[in-house]
Amino acid sequence: MGIVAGLDSSPDFTRIVVCDTDTGAVLRQGYAPHPVETPDGARPSDVDPQAWLLSLGEAAGGGLLEGVQAIGVSAQQNALIPLDAQGNTVRPALVGGDKRAQVAAADLIDALGGREAWAQAVGCVPSAAQPVTKLRWLTKNEPENARRTAVLLQAHDWLVWQLLGRPVRRTTDRGGASGTGYWSAATGGYRPDLVELALGHQAMLPEVIGPSDAAGTTPEGLLISAGTGETMAAAFGLGIGLGDAVVSLGASGSVMAVHPEALTDQSGMITSLADATGMHLPVVTTLNAVRALRGTAELLGLPDLESLSELAVKSTPGAHGLVLLPYLEGERTPNLPHTAGTIAGLRRESMKPEHLARAAFEGMLCGLADALDVLRGRGVDVRRIFLLGPAAELPAVQASAPSLFGAQVVVPQPADYAAIGAARQAAWALGVSQGALDPRTPPAWQGAAAQVLEPGDELAVGQAVRQQFVAVREQTHPGAFRP
């Protein structure tokens, strides 16, 4: 069929991969950082979207896209670009987990009647990151800009629209729409009333097109696929399907799995997202993952996580009875926003650095196992777990994860799976447009190269460690966790 490109516009950079349409093999790639000034090293909350176009142009330099027939776009989620009636940006894009919007999130939750009402309405409870919450912040803090806002786009919607020459028709996909807070994965429809609740008036929303649909064709004849959010694109690039879950180890952690239907969770622990294939991606988040490891490393005077891992493997499963509840920033799963972490099981023989190091790894993984249990408790089939993030490479993580999760663990080789997923989407849309692919069946690309870890004989040991963690959690926070 030829070659296609996948473009991933992350919070910090643009990565482009050019792939063979039949196999998914990466033929060439480009990269450029966003030209965004961050004097203090922190990510800005406001970004001129033109910066994304500039880095896109730089990443595509040197004839990278020569011969490409279709492009897919993946981009950072939760970025809100408010446009006026003429299609101009009203203000810089509101991006990331914008802490300014925390009060706005609480306002919105109350305005609709609580967490349960939101979970029923759109499958998620407003957080500071979501576009619906940023709209509320805009209304309260920049009322003139809010009044001028006539069109709402996210990052991948805006980039697709720009690539197509800013046509009258504006599009998005199910995956991107499901993270807005005003589109329901369960019903497949927008909730304009929630836009009005947040913004004070109606605004034009992009048309939600199907996973294999094309958003349009550029004046040069290049097909542009629907595009999607980074989470959905990465899942698509990894090739996960029913029975698969993805555990992401960042400062905070997340667990998502492919499921045939949207899950509505009245407690708000599950965020009900849609994926890039027509299925669903329920997500459960923990506030504490690698941050618990970094804190423990600092406490023990260790320079990095590799040193903490080396120390931890000198201990044994269960860390001589030492248990760390890693709720250092409060916690979402279980919902304990104002709590602190706990160290339990201190005895003379357990008071050694290697046992604390081991307890930190086990505490982090047991917290994520709790998140997995939330999904399993709702009937989500989890037989294989993809473990992502630099910490997934650490020996102490790999030694414990399969037995604590009770499943096969796959550690993919590092790659930009979001860009690869965007390219796979482009290949799908191209194949459908040419009559070569079924609109319901994506192209079968080679899976990610990966290390596969089995629980094997360690399963019983891992489950005993898990029980030790659960016992301390229940004793310290009785009834807080109800999967």
Side-chain angles (χ1 to χ4, degrees):
M1 278 165 59
I3 58 173
V4 291
L7 183 163
D8 175 33
S9 181
S10 84
D12 300 315
F13 58 82
T14 299
R15 172 92 64 193
I16 301 174
V17 297
V18 176
C19 299
D20 179 277
T21 52
D22 296 321
T23 65
V26 176
L27 306 174
R28 49 186 189 259
Q29 49 190 309
Y31 166 89
H34 295 323
V36 175
E37 290 294 321
T38 53
D40 56 358
R43 280 184 184 159
S45 300
D46 299 323
V47 175
D48 182 348
Q50 292 297 327
W52 308 333
L53 280 184
L54 289 170
S55 69
L56 191 167
E58 191 181 332
L64 184 78
L65 299 180
E66 203 171 306
V68 162
Q69 296 167 275
I71 294 179
V73 177
S74 151
Q76 60 180 301
Q77 283 155 244
N78 298 319
L80 176 72
I81 300 103
L83 304 180
D84 64 19
Q86 286 71 48
N88 302 311
T89 49
V90 168
R91 67 174 321 282
L94 291 146
V95 300
D98 195 334
K99 290 191 172 177
R100 295 176 299 183
Q102 284 172 337
V103 172
D107 280 353
L108 277 178
I109 291 167
D110 290 345
L112 195 66
R115 297 169 66 84
E116 212 170 296
W118 278 97
Q120 289 287 114
V122 285
C124 60
V125 178
S127 69
Q130 283 178 307
V132 72
T133 308
K134 289 167 176 166
L135 283 179
R136 180 72 156 202
W137 179 89
L138 191 67
T139 305
K140 297 284 185 187
N141 294 277
E142 300 177 4
E144 183 52 40
N145 284 338
R147 276 192 290 276
R148 288 175 53 217
T149 297
V151 183
L152 303 177
L153 296 181
Q154 291 189 88
H156 84 263
D157 310 335
W158 188 84
L159 285 164
V160 164
W161 184 58
Q162 295 291 330
L163 288 172
L164 291 172
R166 297 164 59 104
V168 173
R169 181 191 189 217
R170 299 176 182 92
T171 62
T172 191
D173 85 308
R174 297 168 64 254
S178 66
T180 58
Y182 42 79
W183 185 88
S184 165
T187 64
Y190 280 117
R191 288 287 303 264
D193 57 315
L194 299 182
V195 173
E196 190 161 352
L197 181 70
L199 184 61
H201 61 87
Q202 292 292 341
M204 189 176 289
L205 303 169
E207 178 188 343
V208 181
I209 61 176
S212 63
D213 291 345
T217 306
T218 68
E220 299 76 32
L222 198 62
L223 183 139
I224 308 293
S225 62
T228 195
E230 270 188 320
T231 299
M232 300 79 192
F236 197 42
L238 282 165
I240 70 168
L242 290 171
D244 291 335
V246 175
V247 173
S248 293
L249 301 177
S252 54
S254 69
V255 177
M256 66 179 177
V258 179
H259 198 56
E261 58 192 33
L263 295 179
T264 300
D265 173 54
Q266 296 185 348
S267 72
M269 275 199 293
I270 297 174
T271 298
S272 190
L273 300 178
D275 80 347
T277 72
M279 302 284 272
H280 295 268
L281 272 182
V283 180
V284 180
T285 303
T286 68
L287 293 182
N288 302 278
V290 176
R291 66 164 40 97
L293 302 184
R294 293 203 185 284
T296 306
E298 285 174 23
L299 181 66
L300 294 172
L302 298 172
D304 50 39
L305 296 185
E306 287 73 21
S307 304
L308 186 71
S309 175
E310 279 176 35
L311 188 60
V313 296
K314 292 177 182 172
S315 180
T316 52
H320 278 242
L322 205 57
V323 174
L324 173 65
L325 300 183
Y327 306 153
L328 309 184
E329 295 282 319
E331 191 45 84
R332 276 186 63 177
T333 309
N335 186 27
L336 296 165
H338 306 299
T339 195
T342 302
I343 296 177
L346 282 172
R347 300 180 191 280
R348 179 64 193 88
E349 62 271 21
S350 66
M351 295 178 75
K352 292 184 177 175
E354 61 265 33
H355 301 324
L356 179 57
R358 180 92 189 196
F361 281 97
E362 290 176 348
M364 174 187 77
L365 292 169
C366 284
L368 289 159
D370 280 351
L372 269 168
D373 281 352
V374 172
L375 295 178
R376 283 172 164 149
R378 294 295 306 277
V380 177
D381 182 25
V382 178
R383 283 168 278 133
R384 183 171 65 157
I385 293 167
F386 286 77
L387 199 55
L388 302 186
E393 304 283 336
L394 296 172
V397 169
Q398 296 191 3
S400 301
S403 61
L404 291 176
F405 292 158
Q408 182 188 80
V409 169
V410 178
V411 184
Q413 284 184 2
D416 197 323
Y417 291 106
I420 292 168
R424 190 178 176 209
Q425 188 194 65
W428 193 8
L430 181 65
V432 168
S433 76
Q434 295 173 339
L437 289 177
D438 186 316
R440 293 158 302 181
T441 310
W445 279 12
Q446 295 163 349
Q451 190 178 359
V452 179
L453 310 167
E454 300 284 356
D457 298 339
E458 297 294 312
L459 186 58
V461 175
Q463 295 314 293
V465 173
R466 185 82 203 288
Q467 282 307 310
Q468 180 178 274
F469 178 90
V470 169
V472 172
R473 188 196 66 217
E474 280 304 303
Q475 189 177 356
T476 313
H477 304 287
F481 184 67
R482 300 185 186 282

